[in-house]
Amino acid sequence: MSKHWLQEPEWSWNHPVENQPTFVHHWVQQLKNIKQTPDMILYGAPISRSSISVSGASLYPSEFRRAWKGFATYNLDENVDLTDYLIADAGDVAMHMTDIPLSHQRIQDATTYLAKHYSSTTTCMIGGDHSTTACAVRGLKEAFLNETIGILQLDTHLDVRDPKELGPANGTPIRQLIDGNVVKGENIINIGLHGYFNAKPLIDYANLHNIQMVTLNQARKRGLINILQEALEQLSAKVDRIYVTVDMDVLDISVAPGVPASTPGGMTSVELFDSLLEIGKHPSVQHVDFVCLDPSKDSVVAETVKTGVYAWLQFVTGRVLQLK
Amino acid sequence: MSKHWLQEPEWSWNHPVENQPTFVHHWVQQLKNIKQTPDMILYGAPISRSSISVSGASLYPSEFRRAWKGFATYNLDENVDLTDYLIADAGDVAMHMTDIPLSHQRIQDATTYLAKHYSSTTTCMIGGDHSTTACAVRGLKEAFLNETIGILQLDTHLDVRDPKELGPANGTPIRQLIDGNVVKGENIINIGLHGYFNAKPLIDYANLHNIQMVTLNQARKRGLINILQEALEQLSAKVDRIYVTVDMDVLDISVAPGVPASTPGGMTSVELFDSLLEIGKHPSVQHVDFVCLDPSKDSVVAETVKTGVYAWLQFVTGRVLQLK
Amino acid sequence: MSKHWLQEPEWSWNHPVENQPTFVHHWVQQLKNIKQTPDMILYGAPISRSSISVSGASLYPSEFRRAWKGFATYNLDENVDLTDYLIADAGDVAMHMTDIPLSHQRIQDATTYLAKHYSSTTTCMIGGDHSTTACAVRGLKEAFLNETIGILQLDTHLDVRDPKELGPANGTPIRQLIDGNVVKGENIINIGLHGYFNAKPLIDYANLHNIQMVTLNQARKRGLINILQEALEQLSAKVDRIYVTVDMDVLDISVAPGVPASTPGGMTSVELFDSLLEIGKHPSVQHVDFVCLDPSKDSVVAETVKTGVYAWLQFVTGRVLQLK
Amino acid sequence: MSKHWLQEPEWSWNHPVENQPTFVHHWVQQLKNIKQTPDMILYGAPISRSSISVSGASLYPSEFRRAWKGFATYNLDENVDLTDYLIADAGDVAMHMTDIPLSHQRIQDATTYLAKHYSSTTTCMIGGDHSTTACAVRGLKEAFLNETIGILQLDTHLDVRDPKELGPANGTPIRQLIDGNVVKGENIINIGLHGYFNAKPLIDYANLHNIQMVTLNQARKRGLINILQEALEQLSAKVDRIYVTVDMDVLDISVAPGVPASTPGGMTSVELFDSLLEIGKHPSVQHVDFVCLDPSKDSVVAETVKTGVYAWLQFVTGRVLQLK
Amino acid sequence: MSKHWLQEPEWSWNHPVENQPTFVHHWVQQLKNIKQTPDMILYGAPISRSSISVSGASLYPSEFRRAWKGFATYNLDENVDLTDYLIADAGDVAMHMTDIPLSHQRIQDATTYLAKHYSSTTTCMIGGDHSTTACAVRGLKEAFLNETIGILQLDTHLDVRDPKELGPANGTPIRQLIDGNVVKGENIINIGLHGYFNAKPLIDYANLHNIQMVTLNQARKRGLINILQEALEQLSAKVDRIYVTVDMDVLDISVAPGVPASTPGGMTSVELFDSLLEIGKHPSVQHVDFVCLDPSKDSVVAETVKTGVYAWLQFVTGRVLQLK
Amino acid sequence: MSKHWLQEPEWSWNHPVENQPTFVHHWVQQLKNIKQTPDMILYGAPISRSSISVSGASLYPSEFRRAWKGFATYNLDENVDLTDYLIADAGDVAMHMTDIPLSHQRIQDATTYLAKHYSSTTTCMIGGDHSTTACAVRGLKEAFLNETIGILQLDTHLDVRDPKELGPANGTPIRQLIDGNVVKGENIINIGLHGYFNAKPLIDYANLHNIQMVTLNQARKRGLINILQEALEQLSAKVDRIYVTVDMDVLDISVAPGVPASTPGGMTSVELFDSLLEIGKHPSVQHVDFVCLDPSKDSVVAETVKTGVYAWLQFVTGRVLQLK
């Protein structure tokens, strides 16, 4: 195995020779097969044994690619053809079967490798559980040592539980990054918190470290898009690059049964789609991940997986609009 | 079998002799049993083997009638008693087991028959997949040769794939009608398009033929009811009769798991209900269909079937209000 | 068994000795274990064989308590720590296996007992089907003979079917109370009615008895919170205490598959959560129940049960805010 | 309503005029429509609010009739054409919505009525939960006062819980009949008991009253058909008529997910089918019931309902063979 | 598209370069990639719009290949290593979206092509519904004009419904072949019939044409393996080549929820596995198909698909044993 | 936390004061509450993040205890009252959230602790995935250093994958024990292997180390009980104590959907129940575990969990019979 730990997925779509890529599965190409610098690199981080609750989020990268077939490469709402935007699939980081720290290190190394070799390319990591975000951000820090990183987090949870107690579990990534001096709390903005899903000591920690928290209620009252624009402006004024992490549990449980920690009262899918379009448009955003989606909990219609692909395409559409 | 191909459903509700029809299953009557001209005729077109993806929409007419029992004949929001409105159930068009063109011809013939014999009656076809709409509209054209027909389509898709390639599949009805000179593209308005569910060549076709496309985003920004009113006014100024086709895949996948092609980001059920009330109120609308609902994909609570019945009753309520 | 019929649940959470109660299952205490007067008393009324349709709502009190583990004792939207508010769990009313009138009498007796012994404490009954509401209100009337009781009902249905015909079924509680002179129709406000789910004769009954009906459509147009504030103000001007009954079938079927009578077009969970926060804030509200939630109809993610706990916590948050 | 409480089902199959009845739904006729004395009378007892655990067995009579469509009127294993055997459907006993004793009395009265008017006809009651068996047997006792009734029970449970404690619940019918001097314990044979599903005091009661218990293990070792033949011979030597009650929970949970009390280790469907063929052949058997099947717990393929129809048809095939 | 209509599947497993093929997905190779004559050729016939009831059997070829990953290339019961047996995957026959006769013709043509070019190779067709069997056998007849073909059919149904009435539906293949003089009724043996799933006129047709019918009951009494050996011996004495068709609805509904027409009382999976091992061993058997398995009806554990792969591997093991 | 790592479960059944323990949940007692030496000690090892495939087997100990309520303390087949047999529940081993080696060490330590303090008591570990077996056996070896341990394994798999490659995953426990010189291969007997679920290199390893393999086919031909008796006799002649490990994936997928690795062709539940009765009777068996049951994959009827409890009770019944 190569030292960057990225390996080909177990299966691939067979591309027709002559057709125009009118659907996503014929449009995205394997990184090894392209010669230009891609606009975006996708890579999977298929681990979920680091999840606190039982999770099959490790299955998402494969199901994410399978669901591409149902999506065209044209955004009708924005009248944007995506096919000129070059997306390369770098495959999945090779996970160890039981050694969680080793697997996490590989995600970090793979991210550093991609960031160094494709420094102007947008990266998109497909989790896996939320522990992968800490690895990816550490990997970027290693690649861009002198840069300040800010995080925009869409999440129902703060994810600042104590890694000293839990180890590098999916409830801890933000605290790992703060306690590890990788990202400052004041450079983190969490949008989507609501309800009764963060214990008091976690809120105290967040306040202590000046994490900015915008609850979903507040965002709805002031306009979710406004809030996002302000957040991105504020971060881009302070940091060198913005990492966006989308914990799919920010979605309401009725639209995201396939996310173990989704709750009632969360975002609608339309709110998430609008958010990602806006985020994709912002030039300071260079990295995104989508985590915690467990395809095995979906019903036979694969509703959450489809929502995950749609959300990602909204980000891509934003990127295309930003380039214009 | 009679030459209009309409046959009694396999089962019927047993009507109590003395009771007032306070519920739908006691209110709708068999066409053969009534003597006055009905206000509305229902008929089923139970075919879905013409569907591109696997679909049990052929089962919907029967399940639609079964679900009536859960609905009262009174609209509480509008304070309207529906029972004076006379609805006749003409049964289902007899489908051949494997001969798709023959089955389609029968739907066309049955529609012509009903249109000629009950020319002032609103018709409501319960699909079946969306291929049935092409049959019904051709049948109406045959009945009203000198009239111009306009179509208002609520749909996530354009349904203008090429019948030369696919045959008369459920992705093709609108193109069948345009290419067959039955309806002009400029007399078709599609409301509900969104996301990544129409390939570029289809959008090109729609533009070439001047199909009016209002995306769901646009409709929400400008007000869905406003958009509908404008669309109906515009059509009624140009055409002699308006055919409304409701592809239930216009609904969001979270409220319509029982529609094979429903997607995230679609209409809410309340948006659909409001739309059908508005549509029902318009005097130029004389024909409606509801297609692509596959009851076998519903969970045990039959959520999509109930939504389908509710949507139809909103149209009926609109009709009653229009008569007043 | 004691004469108030309240008995310990079949199982209990084991409380850690030293920890702060940062989660609900460690916060709520058994009534028998506390010495102060609690702020709220919870009790279960686990009966659903009085339900017209098949219902497992009798299973809800146990599942309600099981789901506590997923909820923190801090409301992030309002920045309110709930742990100072003292909630006592009085257990469940002992139900007879087949004698419905006897079971109903016990619910009434248990309610009277609690109301007399904890007259300043908010009571919260967890049903059970909606027949339990009639018992609880009769029990309160017995405890507060000289007081006038008003009812705020969140419900898709009027629940005024005739007990002479059906017996004390879950479709009849409001009519039981009116016909039994326990509550006057003019002191009942129903918010959440919509669609085709109340037969004409029931609406006639409601009008005859001056039940105030606000449909969901009307509430949305005028603002649901405004409507609630007006309703509570109006009731508090007329009655001595307000009983709030939340039939969970007021929720849309897409967010409440675990309620046998939920329908398309109902409340969103956010609307319900906002409502219960508002209701909890009002000082005249002293009693609440949550009924008709059947956990056995939920999918494996227990979406409706989680929604039920969240709704209850919103009411609790309202209570805490009202105390401040 | 007539005093025998039997009423037409809510819906009926529409019979084709000319066809031979090659399928069950065209073969069984409404009792009111036939003039000869039928060979068998079917009637439904749609109650399950008397069930200890939550049960939708009240829905079975309707679903049983719906599933007929999938079954031909020819038994291929025995090469027997069933169509000469005349089966009349007497409809369902009208149940009260909440008055369990009244509903039970009506089942008893309906059974008496049928037994008196069609004394030579085999009766087949479709439950409902197992409480209905006590009603039916009491009804037969009333019709045939001077006769001794024996019971062959296929069941995982003894169903001798104490009605003094539970009322007439579905765990009590056999004890109701013994304590009420309707059937003697020594004239009851239970086949199918196994595992850990009968508490010690119930086994003590059964032994005290000389109920014969043959566990499934014993039956398998000695041959289930042998055991059945011996049981029927023994009973027919002692009693005037044999009532067979089939609690569908005798089936293994893997083949009967739609029976709330089915367990691992129960009968296979083939064992049940062989048993009912054998039982049907015996001339002393004149009454049978099938109880405790809850269609709402089946998956979308309706496996338990289909098994229930098949089991009933095996009994019918036995009857036809017995007549030859 | 080539004139034999075989095309690469939409996706492929990525084969590791160095590893031994210890699992099926690394063992089976694409036909285009191998140079020797394969021992077996697989091809998919993904059509199910010719099915009488709604069926997604068209999805099976793809899911069949996906499930390979869970199966090793070693049969532990027989201690047989399968890896020396060369299996080539020829891909799927290209289906038209709505033209059923054209699709059927292509299956026939593809079969003829394979039979002519690989005349000594065992062919294995993966359906699709049972209509595909008629196509395949006609294709073989065209390739081997002077040979007599016999059919061994494992099926709950005779599949001799009248194509004049239904067209070439999945209930008709055997009759198509008899009426079309492709196979004589006396050269067809059906094993697995049972219950009430074949109407009288079909049994009359089978008897008229001397189809040999062995019910599952008879087979169990005389030994299923004995029956199979006799059947294969009898056929091999009369015909030049034996075609085996396995309608997966021969399985019991409890082990095959993913087959639309499976019934209670059918084969256990072990009976099917033993049968296919025996069949595979017989040298006169040169063609097999597996039809009517609808993966979309499986639960999340994919039980029927796994059973389908296992059954196929048993046939392969038989082949390997026969070669030794 | 104590150094043996055993902690009280999160919840407990509330025991009635006066009743006889006629059901399991009132019979099993907390270890801390009893003074005599118990006959059996239960303890949970709730870990499944060491599972190769996604598994929720960590949830089983809690669900196992919840399902007790449905089981009586009397075995009807053997007429054995279990209540004199004293079972103590020692709670669950405290698992770390992400540190798999630490969690495994704690299971080992807890087992050593129990074995040393209750050396004559039968221990029963409830997994968790199969990696826990290696921990438990190592723990016993530590407690009984001079004793030879033999293993009887009921399993579809050999579980001898290489821990050097996978770490201590659930596919490796037997190899961990052999390579670690804890148990000799010749003292291990695996019963239940079948099909295509063990790759060739694993079979080679097993043969090299003289693991005795009895396939399910062989066991059925020679009599499963005979095979078990021979195996136990053979082991008891060679070793000092026998550890029995029951990987629930030995069951057929149709009866065990709640085991991630269950397959078609596996044991029936009756075969498993008979086996555990026989195993329980043998005096040399002193330790048993039940692993790999994932309750979250069960349907709403909890079929696999019920099967797991039943299997455990069969072992207990065997113990009671052995004592007599």
Side-chain angles (χ1 to χ4, degrees), chain D:
Chain D
M1 192 167 292
S2 71
K3 67 174 193 280
H4 55 66
W5 305 112
L6 288 158
Q7 60 186 7
E8 199 178 21
E10 286 199 313
W11 63 275
S12 308
W13 291 103
N14 292 326
H15 287 226
V17 182
E18 67 263 65
N19 282 19
Q20 282 284 86
T22 54
F23 282 85
V24 173
H25 63 311
H26 291 160
W27 163 47
V28 176
Q29 298 181 49
Q30 298 298 313
L31 179 57
K32 63 176 184 188
N33 295 338
I34 60 177
K35 291 176 182 166
Q36 307 136 270
T37 300
D39 295 305
M40 177 184 285
I41 291 184
L42 278 180
Y43 63 115
I47 187 169
S48 52
R49 61 187 77 241
S50 33
S51 172
I52 295 172
S53 58
V54 176
S55 168
S58 56
L59 308 169
Y60 184 50
S62 184
E63 294 303 318
F64 171 76
R65 292 177 181 108
R66 175 143 31 245
W68 287 350
K69 195 189 159 189
F71 289 82
T73 52
Y74 194 90
N75 180 306
L76 196 61
D77 296 300
E78 305 290 325
N79 267 324
V80 169
D81 189 339
L82 308 177
T83 46
D84 290 339
Y85 190 78
L86 185 58
I87 302 190
D89 184 351
D92 290 340
V93 184
M95 296 288 93
H96 188 272
M97 211 59 95
T98 50
D99 191 334
I100 293 175
L102 178 61
S103 296
H104 279 157
Q105 184 63 45
R106 288 179 182 176
I107 296 169
Q108 180 172 335
D109 293 349
T111 306
T112 302
Y113 168 84
L114 292 173
K116 283 188 173 164
H117 285 72
Y118 304 91
S119 62
S120 65
T121 294
T122 302
T123 67
C124 175
M125 183 177 74
I126 304 297
D129 68 49
H130 216 167
S131 69
T132 60
T133 298
C135 311
V137 176
R138 278 195 300 263
L140 293 172
K141 187 68 185 174
E142 198 175 316
F144 308 110
L145 274 173
N146 301 321
E147 293 194 16
T148 311
I149 300 175
I151 293 180
L152 176 63
Q153 180 184 8
L154 304 189
D155 204 334
T156 288
H157 307 89
L158 286 162
D159 286 350
V160 294
R161 293 181 66 177
D162 192 351
K164 286 198 216 71
E165 184 191 346
L166 307 179
N170 68 337
T172 68
I174 300 302
R175 185 152 177 178
Q176 285 184 50
L177 294 171
I178 293 174
D179 291 359
N181 295 315
V182 181
V183 179
K184 290 184 186 165
E186 65 197 56
N187 292 335
I188 297 171
I189 303 181
N190 186 316
I191 298 174
L193 299 161
H194 70 101
Y196 306 87
F197 306 110
N198 291 278
K200 184 67 166 38
L202 306 183
I203 296 164
D204 294 343
Y205 177 92
N207 281 321
L208 184 69
H209 289 272
N210 298 313
I211 295 175
Q212 294 174 64
M213 296 178 270
V214 187
T215 70
L216 201 47
N217 265 4
Q218 292 166 341
R220 281 168 176 157
K221 275 177 194 146
R222 292 167 50 203
L224 180 54
I225 297 304
N226 294 336
I227 290 288
L228 281 165
Q229 287 170 339
E230 287 170 31
L232 291 167
E233 280 315 299
Q234 188 195 326
L235 283 179
S236 64
K238 291 198 292 184
V239 303
D240 297 305
R241 58 181 63 231
I242 299 175
Y243 187 101
V244 178
T245 179
V246 182
D247 188 328
M248 294 294 284
D249 75 15
V250 77
L251 286 168
D252 192 87
I253 195 170
S254 68
V255 299
V259 184
S262 69
T263 61
M267 271 194 190
T268 67
S269 42
V270 170
E271 286 174 335
L272 183 66
F273 298 160
D274 288 350
S275 298
L276 279 156
L277 182 69
E278 198 61 36
I279 290 167
K281 286 181 191 168
H282 202 284
S284 299
V285 172
Q286 281 168 277
H287 312 283
V288 71
D289 67 37
F290 296 86
V291 300
C292 288
L293 199 164
D294 175 356
S296 71
K297 289 218 171 49
D298 256 348
S299 85
V300 74
V301 303
E303 58 273 59
T304 318
V305 171
K306 286 175 183 166
T307 300
V309 175
Y310 198 133
W312 164 68
L313 284 172
Q314 289 289 94
F315 178 76
V316 173
T317 299
R319 293 277 92 178
V320 173
L321 289 172
Q322 178 249 337
L323 286 178
K324 283 189 173 171

Side-chain angles (χ1 to χ4, degrees), chain E residues 5-307:
Chain E
W5 304 112
L6 288 159
Q7 60 185 9
E8 199 177 20
E10 286 199 312
W11 63 274
S12 307
W13 290 104
N14 292 326
H15 286 226
V17 182
E18 67 262 63
N19 283 19
Q20 281 285 86
T22 53
F23 282 85
V24 172
H25 63 310
H26 291 160
W27 163 48
V28 176
Q29 299 182 48
Q30 296 298 313
L31 179 56
K32 64 178 184 186
N33 294 339
I34 61 176
K35 291 175 182 166
Q36 306 137 270
T37 301
D39 296 304
M40 177 183 285
I41 291 184
L42 277 180
Y43 62 115
I47 186 169
S48 52
R49 60 188 77 241
S50 32
S51 172
I52 295 172
S53 59
V54 176
S55 168
S58 56
L59 308 169
Y60 183 50
S62 184
E63 294 303 316
F64 170 76
R65 293 177 181 108
R66 175 140 35 240
W68 286 351
K69 194 189 160 189
F71 289 82
T73 53
Y74 194 89
N75 180 306
L76 196 62
D77 296 299
E78 305 290 325
N79 267 324
V80 169
D81 189 339
L82 307 177
T83 46
D84 290 339
Y85 190 77
L86 186 58
I87 301 190
D89 184 350
D92 289 340
V93 185
M95 296 288 94
H96 188 273
M97 210 60 94
T98 51
D99 191 334
I100 293 174
L102 178 61
S103 296
H104 279 157
Q105 185 62 46
R106 288 179 182 175
I107 296 169
Q108 180 173 335
D109 293 350
T111 307
T112 303
Y113 168 85
L114 291 173
K116 282 189 173 164
H117 286 71
Y118 303 91
S119 62
S120 65
T121 294
T122 301
T123 66
C124 175
M125 183 177 73
I126 304 297
D129 69 48
H130 216 166
S131 69
T132 60
T133 298
C135 311
V137 176
R138 278 195 299 263
L140 292 172
K141 186 70 185 174
E142 198 174 316
F144 308 110
L145 275 172
N146 301 320
E147 294 194 15
T148 311
I149 300 175
I151 294 179
L152 176 63
Q153 180 184 8
L154 303 189
D155 204 334
T156 288
H157 307 89
L158 286 162
D159 285 351
V160 295
R161 293 182 65 178
D162 192 351
K164 286 199 215 69
E165 185 191 346
L166 306 179
N170 68 336
T172 69
I174 300 303
R175 184 151 177 181
Q176 286 184 50
L177 294 171
I178 293 174
D179 291 359
N181 295 315
V182 180
V183 178
K184 290 185 185 164
E186 66 197 55
N187 292 335
I188 297 170
I189 303 181
N190 186 317
I191 299 175
L193 298 160
H194 70 102
Y196 306 87
F197 306 110
N198 292 277
K200 184 67 166 39
L202 306 183
I203 297 164
D204 293 343
Y205 177 92
N207 281 323
L208 183 69
H209 288 272
N210 298 313
I211 294 174
Q212 294 174 64
M213 297 177 271
V214 187
T215 69
L216 201 48
N217 265 5
Q218 291 166 341
R220 281 168 176 157
K221 275 178 194 145
R222 292 167 49 203
L224 180 53
I225 297 304
N226 295 336
I227 290 288
L228 281 165
Q229 286 171 339
E230 286 171 29
L232 290 166
E233 279 316 299
Q234 187 195 327
L235 282 180
S236 65
K238 290 199 292 184
V239 303
D240 297 306
R241 59 181 62 232
I242 298 176
Y243 187 101
V244 178
T245 179
V246 182
D247 188 328
M248 294 294 284
D249 75 14
V250 76
L251 285 168
D252 193 86
I253 195 169
S254 68
V255 298
V259 183
S262 68
T263 61
M267 272 194 189
T268 67
S269 42
V270 170
E271 286 174 335
L272 183 65
F273 297 161
D274 288 350
S275 298
L276 279 156
L277 181 69
E278 197 61 35
I279 290 167
K281 285 181 191 169
H282 201 284
S284 299
V285 172
Q286 282 168 278
H287 311 284
V288 71
D289 67 36
F290 295 86
V291 299
C292 288
L293 197 164
D294 174 356
S296 71
K297 289 218 171 49
D298 255 349
S299 86
V300 74
V301 303
E303 57 273 58
T304 319
V305 170
K306 286 175 183 166
T307 300

Side-chain angles (χ1 to χ4, degrees), chain B residues 17-145:
Chain B
V17 182
E18 68 264 63
N19 282 18
Q20 283 282 84
T22 53
F23 283 85
V24 173
H25 64 311
H26 291 159
W27 163 46
V28 177
Q29 299 182 48
Q30 297 297 313
L31 179 56
K32 64 177 184 187
N33 295 339
I34 61 176
K35 290 176 184 166
Q36 309 134 269
T37 300
D39 296 305
M40 178 184 286
I41 290 184
L42 278 181
Y43 62 115
I47 186 168
S48 52
R49 60 189 77 242
S50 33
S51 171
I52 295 172
S53 59
V54 177
S55 167
S58 56
L59 307 169
Y60 183 50
S62 184
E63 294 303 318
F64 171 75
R65 293 178 181 107
R66 175 143 32 244
W68 286 350
K69 194 189 160 189
F71 290 82
T73 52
Y74 193 90
N75 180 305
L76 196 61
D77 295 300
E78 305 291 325
N79 267 326
V80 169
D81 189 339
L82 308 177
T83 47
D84 290 339
Y85 191 76
L86 185 58
I87 301 190
D89 184 350
D92 291 339
V93 184
M95 296 288 93
H96 188 272
M97 210 59 96
T98 51
D99 191 334
I100 292 173
L102 178 61
S103 296
H104 280 157
Q105 185 61 47
R106 288 180 182 175
I107 296 169
Q108 180 173 335
D109 292 350
T111 306
T112 303
Y113 168 85
L114 291 173
K116 283 188 173 165
H117 286 72
Y118 304 91
S119 60
S120 64
T121 295
T122 302
T123 67
C124 174
M125 183 177 73
I126 305 297
D129 68 49
H130 216 166
S131 69
T132 59
T133 298
C135 311
V137 176
R138 278 195 299 264
L140 292 172
K141 185 70 184 173
E142 199 175 315
F144 307 111
L145 275 171

Side-chain angles (χ1 to χ4, degrees), chain C residues 174-205:
Chain C
I174 300 304
R175 184 150 177 183
Q176 286 184 50
L177 295 170
I178 293 173
D179 291 358
N181 295 315
V182 181
V183 178
K184 289 185 187 164
E186 66 197 54
N187 293 335
I188 297 171
I189 303 180
N190 186 317
I191 299 174
L193 298 161
H194 69 102
Y196 306 87
F197 306 110
N198 292 278
K200 183 67 165 41
L202 306 183
I203 296 164
D204 294 342
Y205 177 93

Side-chain angles (χ1 to χ4, degrees), chain A residues 87-155:
Chain A
I87 301 190
D89 183 351
D92 289 340
V93 185
M95 296 288 94
H96 188 272
M97 211 59 95
T98 50
D99 191 335
I100 292 173
L102 178 61
S103 295
H104 280 157
Q105 185 62 46
R106 289 180 182 173
I107 296 169
Q108 180 173 335
D109 293 349
T111 306
T112 302
Y113 168 85
L114 291 173
K116 284 188 172 165
H117 285 71
Y118 303 91
S119 60
S120 65
T121 294
T122 302
T123 67
C124 174
M125 183 178 72
I126 305 295
D129 68 50
H130 217 166
S131 69
T132 60
T133 298
C135 311
V137 176
R138 279 194 300 262
L140 292 172
K141 186 70 184 173
E142 198 176 315
F144 307 110
L145 275 172
N146 301 321
E147 294 194 15
T148 311
I149 300 175
I151 294 180
L152 175 63
Q153 179 184 7
L154 304 189
D155 204 335

